[in-house]
Amino acid sequence: MSILTPNVFFWGEQPYPTGAATTAANPQLQFFENFPGHLGNGFGGASLNTLSIHAVNIPLSLSFNKVVYLLLRTAAVTASITRNVRFGLYSLNAGTLSLANSAGGEITIETAAAAFTSWISLNTSATQNITPGTWYFALMDASSGGVNWALQMFFNSSINPGNAIPGGFLMGRMTATTGAMPASMATSDLDITGSDAIRQPYIIITA
Amino acid sequence: MPQLNFALNGFVFTPPTFATVNNGSLSFIPFSPTGSISFLTMNVPHLLTNSNMTFTMSFGLYSLTDSSLSLINSISGTHSGAVASKRYASLTATSAAQNISPGTWFFGLLYSTGGVSNLRVYGGLASAIGANAFPGGFIGGAMTDSTSALPSLIATSDLNITGTGSIIEAQIILSA
């Protein structure tokens, strides 16, 4: 098992192998977040029927139980609203992303007297102990209808670079529409340029 | 697993700010070192809002099994500030030597401010947090009962996990 450089959760750490350590054979995390909230840009409408996907380095094992994200309802809800939100956990081999696990389904936003921010959790489809390493998180709103600006997710960035992200695949967005998490997709089929690619939702995985 | 010289926790929520401590009760915050680290010194940034503030900190290191937090170790210290300012408070009095193993732990932060109000820690919390109870696994919460000692065992179901006052992720820096 290799120990990768931790993700942004511990930006200042430098592990020095200076001595023996007493450790469990398989240390577990209780949760993992894809990027610290303080780097977040803010709430925004999510594009429908297409997925955004990005790389994360998970430093220790984590039981894949719940997927949590933030939802902003921008105004009072006088009738319940149903959305179809899906999460995909992907691995990357050469230039192909393969679906390893998933979570989600229909969620119902109940009536409320005023705008509110809410945690939303999605149940995973199969038990899995996520091993340390690089994985890819994908999230999509597969609801019918147009973009619903009254329901917003919390995103990481609004920057809009003019060129494609160089180097190995880090993040991108599907250009085709889909109503389900694809079993596999080529990274070459993803848009990796500009704010479309950079803009990724804030996600917490918990045991 | 590597041996770390220091480890710090991050902020789950946005943006980090100085939030009022849960005086006379505990706030539980996550701490997930990716390598082992000797439990020797802890530094915590604070905002002292009044001059001549003296406060005592007793922080418990807890492990989580199912839905119970168990006290494994503790560290304590006292800090004084002559003027209202931002300051690091340092804790070095650990109850037992320990090499903290990698994984997710929780610190229970117990403050005693001698009646002085509005001591603040630098932490993640505030505007973007959801108004409902956090729906995933336990990532932190606050006791609602008053206490003067670290509980040896506490159920996560006994902690408040709803709203902006419940999950204050104070920044802590452990150094070996």
Side-chain angles (χ1 to χ4, degrees):
Chain A
M1 176 175 72
S2 63
I3 304 299
L4 303 180
T5 302
N7 201 19
V8 292
F9 198 72
F10 297 99
W11 51 267
E13 278 189 342
Q14 296 180 34
Y16 294 101
T18 56
T22 302
T23 62
N26 183 24
Q28 296 281 128
L29 295 172
Q30 293 292 336
F31 70 96
F32 175 83
E33 56 170 346
N34 58 345
F35 60 87
H38 75 283
L39 293 180
N41 172 254
F43 286 97
S47 299
L48 294 181
N49 299 311
T50 187
L51 64 83
S52 293
I53 185 167
H54 59 281
V56 293
N57 283 334
I58 299 181
L60 297 172
S61 295
L62 171 65
S63 179
F64 185 48
N65 190 20
K66 295 276 191 181
V67 177
V68 180
Y69 68 96
L70 278 168
L71 181 86
L72 170 66
R73 184 62 171 90
T74 59
V77 184
T78 56
S80 62
I81 300 174
T82 299
R83 310 298 295 179
N84 190 352
V85 180
R86 300 185 181 278
F87 170 87
L89 177 69
Y90 286 82
S91 61
L92 177 65
N93 187 5
T96 300
L97 290 155
S98 300
L99 184 65
N101 213 326
S102 64
E106 289 197 341
I107 61 170
T108 299
I109 312 299
E110 302 296 346
T111 58
F116 61 87
T117 303
S118 180
W119 297 107
I120 303 294
S121 70
L122 307 174
N123 293 323
T124 54
S125 61
T127 58
Q128 177 179 353
N129 200 32
I130 301 174
T131 53
T134 302
W135 295 87
Y136 298 81
F137 287 178
L139 194 69
M140 62 183 292
D141 186 334
S143 307
S144 59
V147 174
N148 190 339
W149 290 101
L151 288 176
Q152 299 182 357
M153 294 183 184
F154 193 72
F155 291 97
N156 64 330
S157 174
S158 64
I159 63 173
N160 187 21
N163 58 330
I165 304 170
F169 177 74
L170 290 178
M171 61 189 80
R173 196 176 81 162
M174 281 185 76
T175 54
T177 58
T178 177
M181 282 290 167
S184 67
M185 52 187 158
T187 56
S188 57
D189 290 339
L190 300 173
D191 175 9
I192 59 170
T193 303
S195 59
D196 285 353
I198 301 293
R199 195 161 169 268
Q200 301 286 337
Y202 174 55
I203 296 168
I204 306 173
I205 306 291
T206 76
Chain B
M1 292 289 173
Q3 190 72 21
L4 305 176
N5 285 350
F6 72 93
L8 59 87
N9 60 341
F11 303 123
V12 176
F13 314 118
T14 183
T17 185
F18 283 98
T20 303
V21 304
N22 193 11
N23 186 30
S25 190
L26 266 76
S27 291
F28 285 90
I29 65 173
F31 180 70
S32 300
T34 55
S36 296
I37 183 165
S38 295
F39 191 32
L40 288 177
T41 304
M42 178 186 290
N43 290 303
V44 184
H46 291 83
L47 173 62
L48 279 61
T49 56
N50 300 303
S51 59
N52 298 316
M53 286 187 80
T54 298
F55 55 94
T56 300
M57 301 154 286
S58 181
F59 296 168
L61 177 66
Y62 288 80
S63 65
L64 178 65
T65 302
D66 296 325
S67 58
S68 292
L69 291 159
S70 301
L71 181 64
I72 303 300
N73 210 331
S74 66
I75 190 168
S76 61
T78 300
H79 188 78
S80 297
V83 298
S85 60
K86 299 169 187 174
R87 306 171 65 88
Y88 279 104
S90 183
L91 299 83
T92 57
T94 54
S95 59
Q98 180 179 352
N99 198 29
I100 299 174
S101 56
T104 299
W105 299 82
F106 292 87
F107 277 107
L109 310 184
L110 178 61
Y111 283 88
S112 177
T113 65
V116 178
S117 62
N118 216 14
L119 173 67
R120 300 179 189 175
V121 286
Y122 188 64
L125 189 58
S127 58
I129 197 171
N132 56 330
F134 187 79
F138 181 73
I139 63 170
M143 279 184 71
T144 55
D145 296 333
S146 297
T147 181
S148 59
L150 296 170
S152 59
L153 189 70
I154 187 167
T156 57
S157 57
D158 290 337
L159 301 174
N160 180 19
I161 59 170
T162 303
T164 58
S166 62
I167 307 178
I168 300 176
E169 189 168 12
Q171 183 181 55
I172 60 172
I173 307 166
L174 275 191
S175 54

